[in-house]
């Protein structure tokens, strides 16, 4: 009963963390948009802000938020790949040929060493494929952001700041 209670609490905490993370991302995106809108409002009167310009600024802010999400997921995938690699090495180093626990979602199942190794390799391959997809996505987003920067800096010059504060 305590084990089940611990699992329920773990699931609840995990879901709570996801909700809080999503809230923070939404809040950061809104703050970024407000900052960008504030900066746009300060632009000299001779540089008229059009709806198209505002859309470009919003697109840049959204792309920047998406890039941060992709970068975070990239780091998580890199860690997952490293963890799977370490676990695979640990399984290879086991001396007996008995069953080993393998995490499948939120539960552990008992499988033989060969099957565990195979499952980890499959998971690692999937994670590596996702890593490649994420790198491509990051490149696409950065390309979009670069073009938006060129367009916006060409019109507004130093009156607008599109550099990240990292």
């Amino acid at each position: 009963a305590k084990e089940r209670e611990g699992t329920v609490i773990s699931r609840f905490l995990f879901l709570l963390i996801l909700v809080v993370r999503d809230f923070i991302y939404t809040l950061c995106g809104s703050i970024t948009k407000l900052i960008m809108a504030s900066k746009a409002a300060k632009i000299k009167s001779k540089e008229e802000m059009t709806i198209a310009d505002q859309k470009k600024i919003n697109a840049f802010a959204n792309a920047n938020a998406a890039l941060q999400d992709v970068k975070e997921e990239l780091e998580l995938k890199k860690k997952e790949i490293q963890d799977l690699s370490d676990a695979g090495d640990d399984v290879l180093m086991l001396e007996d040929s008995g069953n080993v626990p393998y995490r499948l979602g939120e539960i552990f199942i008992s499988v033989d060493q060969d099957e565990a190794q195979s499952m980890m390799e499959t998971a690692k391959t999937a994670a590596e494929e996702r890593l490649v997809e994420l790198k491509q996505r990051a490149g696409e987003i950065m390309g979009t952001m670069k073009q938006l920067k060129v367009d916006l800096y060409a019109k507004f010059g130093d009156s607008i700041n599109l550099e990240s504060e990292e």
Side-chain angles (χ1 to χ4, degrees):
K2 286 188 178 189
E3 191 174 301
R4 179 171 159 74
E5 183 178 298
T7 301
V8 170
I9 290 172
S10 295
R11 286 181 184 167
F12 174 75
L13 290 175
F14 179 74
L15 291 173
L16 182 63
I17 289 169
L18 290 177
V19 168
V20 169
R21 182 195 73 179
D22 290 345
F23 174 75
I24 289 171
Y25 286 147
T26 303
L27 185 61
C28 288
S30 298
I31 290 171
T32 301
K33 287 179 184 177
L34 288 173
I35 290 170
M36 298 303 272
S38 171
K39 288 179 180 179
K42 293 178 183 177
I43 293 175
K44 299 174 189 171
S45 61
K46 68 179 183 175
E47 298 164 339
E48 187 175 316
M49 173 72 71
T50 65
I51 292 174
D53 296 330
Q54 188 60 50
K55 286 182 179 180
K56 286 180 181 179
I57 291 169
N58 290 341
F60 182 86
N62 290 335
N64 190 42
L67 181 61
Q68 297 310 313
D69 290 344
V70 169
K71 285 181 177 179
E72 181 178 306
E73 191 175 347
L74 270 167
E75 291 304 313
L76 291 173
K77 283 297 167 194
K78 287 177 184 177
K79 183 178 181 337
E80 180 182 344
I81 290 168
Q82 183 61 47
D83 290 347
L84 285 166
S85 181
D86 293 345
D89 293 344
D90 289 346
V91 168
L92 286 174
M93 294 169 69
L94 291 174
E95 292 180 14
D96 64 354
S97 60
N99 288 347
V100 295
Y102 184 83
R103 190 175 117 211
L104 191 60
E106 292 188 19
I107 63 167
F108 285 88
I109 58 173
S110 183
V111 296
D112 65 44
Q113 289 178 347
D114 292 336
E115 188 175 354
Q117 191 69 31
S118 174
M119 293 169 78
M120 282 185 274
E121 285 301 319
T122 301
K124 185 177 174 185
T125 301
E128 288 169 342
E129 289 172 358
R130 179 66 180 148
L131 188 69
V132 169
E133 292 171 7
L134 288 169
K135 286 180 180 180
Q136 279 182 316
R137 178 72 179 127
E140 292 168 2
I141 293 171
M142 287 189 288
T144 299
M145 289 174 66
K146 184 176 181 180
Q147 184 57 49
L148 289 168
K149 275 184 180 183
V150 167
D151 294 347
L152 291 168
Y153 278 135
K155 180 165 184 177
F156 300 111
D158 291 338
S159 299
I160 192 166
N161 180 13
L162 301 173
E163 302 304 318
S164 70
E165 298 175 6
E166 292 178 12

